[in-house]
PDB file of all heavy atoms in Angstrom:
ATOM      1  N   ALA A 254      46.149 189.216 185.798  1.00 93.00           N
ATOM      2  CA  ALA A 254      46.022 187.903 185.135  1.00 93.00           C
ATOM      3  C   ALA A 254      45.121 186.973 185.943  1.00 93.00           C
ATOM      4  O   ALA A 254      44.246 186.317 185.414  1.00 93.00           O
ATOM      5  CB  ALA A 254      47.379 187.271 184.962  1.00 93.00           C
ATOM      6  N   ILE A 255      45.326 186.990 187.286  1.00 95.00           N
ATOM      7  CA  ILE A 255      44.504 186.141 188.122  1.00 95.00           C
ATOM      8  C   ILE A 255      43.069 186.601 188.113  1.00 95.00           C
ATOM      9  O   ILE A 255      42.096 185.848 188.035  1.00 95.00           O
ATOM     10  CB  ILE A 255      45.034 186.131 189.563  1.00 95.00           C
ATOM     11  CG1 ILE A 255      46.438 185.473 189.592  1.00 95.00           C
ATOM     12  CG2 ILE A 255      44.097 185.317 190.510  1.00 95.00           C
ATOM     13  CD1 ILE A 255      47.130 185.629 190.912  1.00 95.00           C
ATOM     14  N   GLU A 256      42.840 187.964 188.179  1.00 95.00           N
ATOM     15  CA  GLU A 256      41.458 188.492 188.193  1.00 95.00           C
ATOM     16  C   GLU A 256      40.797 188.224 186.867  1.00 95.00           C
ATOM     17  O   GLU A 256      39.612 187.896 186.887  1.00 95.00           O
ATOM     18  CB  GLU A 256      41.579 190.021 188.394  1.00 95.00           C
ATOM     19  CG  GLU A 256      41.962 190.417 189.781  1.00 95.00           C
ATOM     20  CD  GLU A 256      40.877 190.082 190.816  1.00 95.00           C
ATOM     21  OE1 GLU A 256      39.677 189.995 190.434  1.00 95.00           O
ATOM     22  OE2 GLU A 256      41.185 189.945 191.995  1.00 95.00           O
ATOM     23  N   ALA A 257      41.516 188.275 185.757  1.00 95.00           N
ATOM     24  CA  ALA A 257      40.915 187.976 184.479  1.00 95.00           C
ATOM     25  C   ALA A 257      40.462 186.539 184.402  1.00 95.00           C
ATOM     26  O   ALA A 257      39.408 186.175 183.857  1.00 95.00           O
ATOM     27  CB  ALA A 257      41.887 188.250 183.338  1.00 95.00           C
ATOM     28  N   THR A 258      41.271 185.608 184.929  1.00 96.00           N
ATOM     29  CA  THR A 258      40.896 184.216 184.964  1.00 96.00           C
ATOM     30  C   THR A 258      39.695 184.009 185.890  1.00 96.00           C
ATOM     31  O   THR A 258      38.787 183.234 185.570  1.00 96.00           O
ATOM     32  CB  THR A 258      42.062 183.387 185.474  1.00 96.00           C
ATOM     33  OG1 THR A 258      43.228 183.550 184.627  1.00 96.00           O
ATOM     34  CG2 THR A 258      41.716 181.890 185.501  1.00 96.00           C
ATOM     35  N   GLN A 259      39.663 184.716 187.026  1.00 97.00           N
ATOM     36  CA  GLN A 259      38.501 184.643 187.918  1.00 97.00           C
ATOM     37  C   GLN A 259      37.238 185.076 187.163  1.00 97.00           C
ATOM     38  O   GLN A 259      36.139 184.449 187.335  1.00 97.00           O
ATOM     39  CB  GLN A 259      38.716 185.496 189.172  1.00 97.00           C
ATOM     40  CG  GLN A 259      37.605 185.362 190.145  1.00 97.00           C
ATOM     41  CD  GLN A 259      37.577 184.021 190.858  1.00 97.00           C
ATOM     42  OE1 GLN A 259      38.520 183.708 191.547  1.00 97.00           O
ATOM     43  NE2 GLN A 259      36.505 183.306 190.689  1.00 97.00           N
ATOM     44  N   VAL A 260      37.275 186.106 186.420  1.00 97.00           N
ATOM     45  CA  VAL A 260      36.180 186.619 185.631  1.00 97.00           C
ATOM     46  C   VAL A 260      35.665 185.533 184.637  1.00 97.00           C
ATOM     47  O   VAL A 260      34.453 185.259 184.528  1.00 97.00           O
ATOM     48  CB  VAL A 260      36.457 187.916 184.893  1.00 97.00           C
ATOM     49  CG1 VAL A 260      35.355 188.248 183.908  1.00 97.00           C
ATOM     50  CG2 VAL A 260      36.615 189.049 185.841  1.00 97.00           C
ATOM     51  N   ALA A 261      36.606 184.890 183.972  1.00 97.00           N
ATOM     52  CA  ALA A 261      36.251 183.873 183.025  1.00 97.00           C
ATOM     53  C   ALA A 261      35.613 182.651 183.692  1.00 97.00           C
ATOM     54  O   ALA A 261      34.648 182.052 183.183  1.00 97.00           O
ATOM     55  CB  ALA A 261      37.517 183.433 182.261  1.00 97.00           C
ATOM     56  N   VAL A 262      36.094 182.274 184.892  1.00 98.00           N
ATOM     57  CA  VAL A 262      35.529 181.202 185.675  1.00 98.00           C
ATOM     58  C   VAL A 262      34.102 181.561 186.125  1.00 98.00           C
ATOM     59  O   VAL A 262      33.200 180.814 186.038  1.00 98.00           O
ATOM     60  CB  VAL A 262      36.440 180.836 186.896  1.00 98.00           C
ATOM     61  CG1 VAL A 262      35.644 179.949 187.864  1.00 98.00           C
ATOM     62  CG2 VAL A 262      37.711 180.131 186.389  1.00 98.00           C
ATOM     63  N   ASP A 263      33.954 182.771 186.634  1.00 97.00           N
ATOM     64  CA  ASP A 263      32.642 183.212 187.171  1.00 97.00           C
ATOM     65  C   ASP A 263      31.588 183.252 186.081  1.00 97.00           C
ATOM     66  O   ASP A 263      30.453 183.128 186.338  1.00 97.00           O
ATOM     67  CB  ASP A 263      32.789 184.567 187.845  1.00 97.00           C
ATOM     68  CG  ASP A 263      33.533 184.574 189.085  1.00 97.00           C
ATOM     69  OD1 ASP A 263      33.689 183.438 189.689  1.00 97.00           O
ATOM     70  OD2 ASP A 263      34.038 185.627 189.553  1.00 97.00           O
ATOM     71  N   ALA A 264      32.061 183.366 184.815  1.00 97.00           N
ATOM     72  CA  ALA A 264      31.102 183.407 183.724  1.00 97.00           C
ATOM     73  C   ALA A 264      30.434 182.107 183.426  1.00 97.00           C
ATOM     74  O   ALA A 264      29.336 182.035 182.885  1.00 97.00           O
ATOM     75  CB  ALA A 264      31.771 183.948 182.446  1.00 97.00           C
ATOM     76  N   VAL A 265      31.053 180.991 183.924  1.00 97.00           N
ATOM     77  CA  VAL A 265      30.524 179.663 183.606  1.00 97.00           C
ATOM     78  C   VAL A 265      30.301 178.791 184.836  1.00 97.00           C
ATOM     79  O   VAL A 265      29.665 177.749 184.718  1.00 97.00           O
ATOM     80  CB  VAL A 265      31.486 178.938 182.608  1.00 97.00           C
ATOM     81  CG1 VAL A 265      31.497 179.614 181.271  1.00 97.00           C
ATOM     82  CG2 VAL A 265      32.896 178.812 183.192  1.00 97.00           C
ATOM     83  N   ALA A 266      30.745 179.224 185.973  1.00 97.00           N
ATOM     84  CA  ALA A 266      30.600 178.370 187.199  1.00 97.00           C
ATOM     85  C   ALA A 266      30.126 179.228 188.348  1.00 97.00           C
ATOM     86  O   ALA A 266      30.705 180.267 188.698  1.00 97.00           O
ATOM     87  CB  ALA A 266      31.925 177.776 187.595  1.00 97.00           C
TER      88      ALA A 266
END
Side-chain angles (χ1 to χ4, degrees):
I255 297 171
E256 289 291 336
T258 302
Q259 184 71 63
V260 169
V262 166
D263 290 341
V265 293

